[in-house]
Amino acid sequence: LRDMMIASFSHPNIKGITFWDFWETSAYTKNNFMFDADWNMRLAGKMYQDLVYNKWWTKESGATDTSGEFNVRGYYGDYDVTVTTNDGKSKKLSVAFYEGYDNVIEVVMG
């Protein structure tokens, strides 16, 4: 599963990965791989979780440079961004970064 997901994720024409029938007691087959009948995560489920939430999940923080810019290289997707000034003012934004977009946000703290 891990190798298939990495190979798929690295190909530019793949836009997502969908799983069906990942629970052991599913009606379709008894040879499922993500969860057993008691919803305990199997090795394949742990591999999925590690790739998606640890390796492919963009979690960044930092300070702006002298020109007020902060640059991050991350994965495409929807983000929750929080900007906090030195005097404690804070602003939260929901932003989308996708292929074909400028993928730049400008935050003005008033």
Short mmCIF file of all heavy atoms in Angstrom, two decimals, residues 2 6 16-17 26 55 60 71 82 97 105:
data_model
loop_
_atom_site.label_atom_id
_atom_site.label_comp_id
_atom_site.label_asym_id
_atom_site.label_seq_id
_atom_site.Cartn_x
_atom_site.Cartn_y
_atom_site.Cartn_z
N ARG A 2 1.89 1.26 0.86
CA ARG A 2 2.77 2.43 0.94
C ARG A 2 3.41 2.73 -0.40
O ARG A 2 3.38 3.87 -0.87
CB ARG A 2 3.84 2.19 2.01
CG ARG A 2 4.77 3.38 2.22
CD ARG A 2 5.90 3.01 3.17
NE ARG A 2 6.77 2.00 2.63
CZ ARG A 2 7.82 2.25 1.85
NH1 ARG A 2 8.13 3.49 1.54
NH2 ARG A 2 8.56 1.28 1.39
N ILE A 6 2.83 6.07 -2.74
CA ILE A 6 3.94 6.95 -3.10
C ILE A 6 4.05 7.07 -4.62
O ILE A 6 4.20 8.17 -5.16
CB ILE A 6 5.27 6.44 -2.49
CG1 ILE A 6 5.23 6.63 -0.97
CG2 ILE A 6 6.47 7.17 -3.10
CD1 ILE A 6 6.38 5.96 -0.23
N GLY A 16 -5.94 12.19 -6.80
CA GLY A 16 -6.42 11.70 -5.51
C GLY A 16 -6.37 10.18 -5.46
O GLY A 16 -6.18 9.52 -6.48
N ILE A 17 -6.52 9.65 -4.27
CA ILE A 17 -6.55 8.21 -4.05
C ILE A 17 -7.82 7.90 -3.27
O ILE A 17 -8.08 8.51 -2.24
CB ILE A 17 -5.31 7.73 -3.26
CG1 ILE A 17 -4.02 8.05 -4.03
CG2 ILE A 17 -5.40 6.24 -2.96
CD1 ILE A 17 -2.75 7.83 -3.24
N SER A 26 -16.77 -5.83 5.89
CA SER A 26 -17.49 -5.31 4.74
C SER A 26 -18.17 -6.44 3.98
O SER A 26 -17.71 -7.58 3.98
CB SER A 26 -16.53 -4.57 3.82
OG SER A 26 -17.18 -4.16 2.65
N LYS A 55 3.91 12.66 6.71
CA LYS A 55 4.84 13.00 5.63
C LYS A 55 4.26 13.97 4.61
O LYS A 55 4.98 14.80 4.08
CB LYS A 55 5.32 11.72 4.96
CG LYS A 55 6.12 10.85 5.93
CD LYS A 55 6.79 9.70 5.25
CE LYS A 55 7.72 8.95 6.16
NZ LYS A 55 7.18 8.46 7.40
N GLU A 60 3.64 24.18 9.10
CA GLU A 60 4.76 25.10 9.13
C GLU A 60 4.46 26.27 10.06
O GLU A 60 3.31 26.65 10.23
CB GLU A 60 5.07 25.65 7.73
CG GLU A 60 5.54 24.62 6.74
CD GLU A 60 6.92 24.08 7.04
OE1 GLU A 60 7.72 24.76 7.71
OE2 GLU A 60 7.20 22.95 6.60
N ASN A 71 7.72 32.57 3.41
CA ASN A 71 7.50 31.65 2.30
C ASN A 71 7.52 30.21 2.80
O ASN A 71 8.38 29.85 3.61
CB ASN A 71 8.58 31.83 1.23
CG ASN A 71 8.49 33.19 0.58
OD1 ASN A 71 7.47 33.50 -0.03
ND2 ASN A 71 9.52 33.99 0.71
N THR A 82 -2.88 31.17 10.52
CA THR A 82 -2.99 32.14 11.61
C THR A 82 -1.78 33.04 11.58
O THR A 82 -0.64 32.56 11.57
CB THR A 82 -3.09 31.43 12.98
OG1 THR A 82 -4.20 30.55 12.97
CG2 THR A 82 -3.25 32.45 14.10
N PHE A 97 -4.68 26.45 -1.83
CA PHE A 97 -3.51 26.45 -2.71
C PHE A 97 -3.63 25.25 -3.64
O PHE A 97 -3.60 24.11 -3.19
CB PHE A 97 -2.22 26.37 -1.91
CG PHE A 97 -1.97 27.58 -1.06
CD1 PHE A 97 -2.21 27.56 0.30
CD2 PHE A 97 -1.51 28.76 -1.63
CE1 PHE A 97 -2.00 28.67 1.08
CE2 PHE A 97 -1.30 29.88 -0.85
CZ PHE A 97 -1.54 29.83 0.50
N ILE A 105 -0.81 34.53 -0.63
CA ILE A 105 -1.79 35.29 0.15
C ILE A 105 -1.10 36.52 0.72
O ILE A 105 0.08 36.50 1.00
CB ILE A 105 -2.44 34.46 1.29
CG1 ILE A 105 -1.40 33.99 2.29
CG2 ILE A 105 -3.23 33.32 0.74
CD1 ILE A 105 -2.01 33.42 3.55
#
